Amino acid sequence: MNSISAFSFLLYTLYLLTVASAATFNIRNNCPYVVWAAAVPVGGGKRLNPGETWPINVPRGTSKARIWARTNCQFDASGRGSCQTGDCQGLLECKAYGSPPNTLAEFGVGLGQHADLDLIDISNINGFNVPMEFSSNSPTCSRVIKCTADIVGQCPKELKAPGGCNNPCTVYKTDKYCCYSGNCEPTNFSRYFKERCPDAYSYPKDDKTSLFTCPTGTDYKVIFCP
């Protein structure tokens, strides 16, 4: 085997290893309206008509990742515009987190002491705009997380926002609600979210009932309006 073919073989082998260690996320829009799905740091963004699916491959070692739905968006041919909820600096293909209110699927792939765990959660810390399911799509894990309550329709008047329901941190920006000090407790507003979506984060210290794991190698589905 000459040096060129050996190098090509090595590149191909590395490519196969990368693909094998990636997790596939199938993002589906079950809402009766268009959403503009967003995924950071892998994926970017894509318009999803009702019933459409968008698969993305997330490499092992990815952390602090988010998937969310944007609503009532308008973009020009260059991919610039705006969304009523979940807007990411006016870009169709997001490069940064979205603006609240937006329901979040948060995850890290291939983490833990032995890089053998995925961390997954649904969060309302940025508020809520679209009902969501975040679940395993593999037999290796049976975890299903959902937040499907009518949070927007029942939203407290202090938290109401066009197209969604804000988390109190967005509105008040105080340590009581944002936990800037790292020392905070549930509030009446956080309980509003927790009572309706018990598996989802309602405030920053909600780890015990809201953070879940699956073995690395699991594939996932994120469904808007499950």
Side-chain angles (χ1 to χ4, degrees):
M1 184 181 293
N2 61 43
S3 59
I4 295 178
S5 59
F7 181 68
S8 299
F9 177 76
L10 177 61
L11 288 178
Y12 181 67
T13 301
L14 290 173
Y15 168 76
L16 290 179
L17 288 173
T18 300
V19 171
S21 63
T24 299
F25 285 68
N26 279 312
I27 305 166
R28 180 178 177 83
N29 179 23
N30 273 4
C31 300
Y33 48 84
V34 176
V35 301
W36 286 259
V40 171
V42 178
K46 184 177 178 65
R47 175 188 169 120
L48 291 181
N49 294 316
E52 289 187 331
T53 300
W54 175 36
I56 61 173
N57 291 319
V58 178
R60 190 170 185 156
T62 298
S63 63
K64 298 180 180 179
R66 292 179 176 181
I67 293 170
W68 69 97
R70 294 169 288 173
T71 59
N72 295 323
C73 302
Q74 290 187 336
F75 293 102
D76 61 22
S78 70
R80 293 187 176 274
S82 64
C83 300
Q84 185 181 50
T85 65
D87 187 78
C88 57
Q89 300 177 347
L91 298 177
L92 171 60
E93 297 192 11
C94 295
K95 302 181 185 303
Y97 293 156
S99 300
N102 55 333
T103 320
L104 300 175
E106 301 180 311
F107 57 94
V109 174
L111 305 178
Q113 183 178 357
H114 304 289
D116 57 355
L117 286 177
D118 297 346
L119 306 178
I120 64 172
D121 70 78
I122 287 178
S123 176
N124 289 321
I125 290 178
N126 264 32
F128 179 101
N129 65 337
V130 172
M132 178 185 287
E133 175 186 329
F134 186 9
S135 58
S136 164
N137 210 17
S138 297
T140 53
C141 186
S142 58
R143 178 62 62 189
V144 177
I145 317 169
K146 289 185 178 182
C147 183
T148 60
D150 184 21
I151 287 180
V152 175
Q154 300 172 10
C155 186
K157 64 180 186 303
E158 299 92 337
L159 305 182
K160 285 184 179 293
C165 185
N166 276 319
N167 184 276
C169 176
T170 303
V171 176
Y172 296 106
K173 300 179 174 62
T174 61
D175 185 60
K176 176 181 178 179
Y177 298 115
C178 301
C179 207
Y180 296 130
S181 66
N183 184 22
C184 57
E185 300 292 336
T187 66
N188 287 337
F189 285 135
S190 73
R191 292 186 186 97
Y192 168 78
F193 289 96
K194 197 65 177 177
E195 288 168 359
R196 287 156 180 79
C197 291
D199 289 338
Y201 269 90
S202 59
Y203 77 108
K205 291 295 183 180
D206 209 1
D207 306 274
K208 289 184 179 180
T209 60
S210 306
L211 182 62
F212 304 99
T213 62
C214 283
T216 295
T218 302
D219 293 324
Y220 299 93
K221 57 186 176 183
V222 175
I223 303 174
F224 304 128
C225 303

